[in-house]
Structures are given as C-alpha cells and as structure tokens.
Amino acid sequence: MKCLILAGGSGTRLWPVSRQKHPKQLQSLVGEKTLLEETIDRLDFLEPSDIFIATNKEYESEIRNQAKN
C-alpha cells in the first residue's frame, strides 16, 4: 500500500491562524506536533518509502524538515 498526503494548500479557510507563509499543515493545532506530523504518525503501519507528500516549492523545505524519515 502507498499513501499520498496532500500538503500544498495555503490554508486560507483557517485564517488568521494559517497564513500563506505558514499554512495549516505546518501548524500545531491540537498538541505539540503539526498536522503533517500527526498525519505521518498515523501511517506507522507503512514503510516511510511508501509515504509520498505532495506540496509546493514554497513549503518544500519545512515539509522535508518535518518528515525527516
């Protein structure tokens, strides 16, 4: 099984918490981890190589940082 996480939006519906430079997938809303980190954690039954994240160039660096594995 493979998984594709869609993490490229700017999160405009969560404004003012979410901004273009810091979209909702990179926000910590519930706990210490961001929404992206929580999503990746829920996929612990998959190999990291089977998880793909679709994002845009603007968020690439932070996405790579949060998805270290």
Side-chain angles (χ1 to χ4, degrees), residues 14 24-30 33-40 42 66:
L14 195 57
K24 68 182 171 199
Q25 63 267 23
L26 303 177
Q27 297 280 341
S28 301
L29 300 178
V30 179
K33 294 183 177 185
T34 66
L35 293 177
L36 176 64
E37 291 170 320
E38 290 179 6
T39 300
I40 293 169
R42 284 193 296 274
Q66 290 190 21

Side-chain angles (χ1 to χ4, degrees), residues 4-68:
L4 174 64
I5 299 172
L6 303 176
S10 59
T12 56
R13 288 176 284 179
L14 195 57
W15 187 91
V17 174
S18 179
R19 303 293 179 117
Q20 186 169 356
K21 297 284 185 188
H22 202 67
K24 68 182 171 199
Q25 63 267 23
L26 303 177
Q27 297 280 341
S28 301
L29 300 178
V30 179
E32 301 266 332
K33 294 183 177 185
T34 66
L35 293 177
L36 176 64
E37 291 170 320
E38 290 179 6
T39 300
I40 293 169
D41 285 352
R42 284 193 296 274
L43 298 171
D44 62 352
F45 60 93
L46 292 175
E47 293 295 322
S49 61
D50 291 333
I51 300 172
F52 300 88
I53 302 172
T55 190
N56 63 43
K57 193 70 171 165
E58 186 175 352
Y59 308 139
E60 180 183 3
S61 177
E62 185 59 28
I63 296 281
R64 285 185 184 276
N65 184 46
Q66 290 190 21
K68 294 175 188 124

